[in-house]
Amino acid sequence: MQGYATRNLTLSIGGHDYQVRSLSDRQQFADPQGDAERAGISSAQWALFGQPWPSGHALAETMSAFAIDGKRILELGCGLGLSSLVLQRREADITASDHHPLAESFLEHNAALNDLTSIRYRDLPWNEPDATLGRFDVIIASDVLYERGHAAQLAGMMQRHAQADAEIVLSDPGRGNSASFTRAMKAQGYAVDERRQRFEDTDIEPFRGRVIHYRRDDASRDAQRRS
């Protein structure tokens, strides 16, 4: 890609190897058309989408064995799209989304690297309602709570795009903002199942990384359907 140095990685997920093109490091930045400025992305944040983060690997592992039959699935902040690649390989109904100007092209390239058909993609800012997107049975994301305002923005996304009986799966490396998001989800009637686990080989107990599942109970689902 003109203006960017990239590298190809082989990542093992759920017993399968995935070929992934990423940015070569976190210093990559080129914005000749002003795409970064229009998207509100600083030069320091620009390369973050293009890295293989441990939280993304943990979410992809979870998706490699997740029940998908008959479920419409949305990935928020997909970045390189590792979880979406895993779900596409499993023939899930997956829509990947991000707001980085390069995310779609990297996702398309990575799908081709793995002999997969193109993955449905949406440019999706979290703070702008999208009446055309609809609702999903499962919404997934990895390491998306790195700024204080993200918890409220994502909670709003769930209100707009989660089915009454939706399941939300979030992998998080231990950021403090996850507590705010969990409180917001409880206010929407979700129960929480948090499982701490090793994200990197160097992690020691007690682990900071966690995969969090949010589900509504029967009464909360019924109340949501009536609202």
Side-chain angles (χ1 to χ4, degrees), residues 41 45 48-49 53 77 98-100 126 142-151 153-154 172-173 175-178:
I41 302 172
Q45 295 174 319
L48 298 183
F49 95 96
W53 298 101
D98 207 298
H99 189 45
H100 195 288
W126 297 340
S142 65
D143 199 4
V144 290
L145 296 168
Y146 49 88
E147 292 186 6
R148 182 175 298 177
H150 287 170
Q153 291 178 10
L154 288 169
D172 185 83
R175 300 189 187 278
N177 296 322
S178 65

Side-chain angles (χ1 to χ4, degrees), residues 54-91:
S55 290
H57 196 284
L59 181 64
E61 282 283 2
T62 300
M63 290 300 106
S64 71
F66 193 82
I68 61 173
D69 289 350
K71 297 178 181 179
R72 189 179 186 223
I73 305 172
L74 172 67
E75 182 176 11
L76 299 174
C78 68
L80 296 174
L82 187 55
S83 289
S84 289
L85 293 172
V86 169
L87 289 166
Q88 184 80 339
R89 183 171 190 162
R90 299 183 62 204
E91 300 183 350

Side-chain angles (χ1 to χ4, degrees), residues 59 62-63 66 138-142 167-171 211-214:
L59 181 64
T62 300
M63 290 300 106
F66 193 82
V138 181
I139 300 178
I140 64 174
S142 65
E167 182 174 359
I168 299 163
V169 183
L170 177 70
S171 66
V211 176
I212 314 172
H213 295 248
Y214 301 89

Side-chain angles (χ1 to χ4, degrees), residues 147-166:
E147 292 186 6
R148 182 175 298 177
H150 287 170
Q153 291 178 10
L154 288 169
M157 289 288 295
M158 304 313 166
Q159 287 182 314
R160 294 191 295 270
H161 298 299
Q163 296 280 17
D165 57 353

Side-chain angles (χ1 to χ4, degrees), residues 18 28 31 37 50 60 63 68 110 121 125 127 133 140 152 155 169 173 179 182 198 201 216:
Y18 290 84
Q28 300 300 312
D31 190 33
E37 183 177 359
M63 290 300 106
I68 61 173
N110 286 335
Y121 178 83
N127 58 351
L133 185 61
I140 64 174
V169 183
T182 290
R198 179 178 282 108
D201 291 340
R216 288 190 176 103

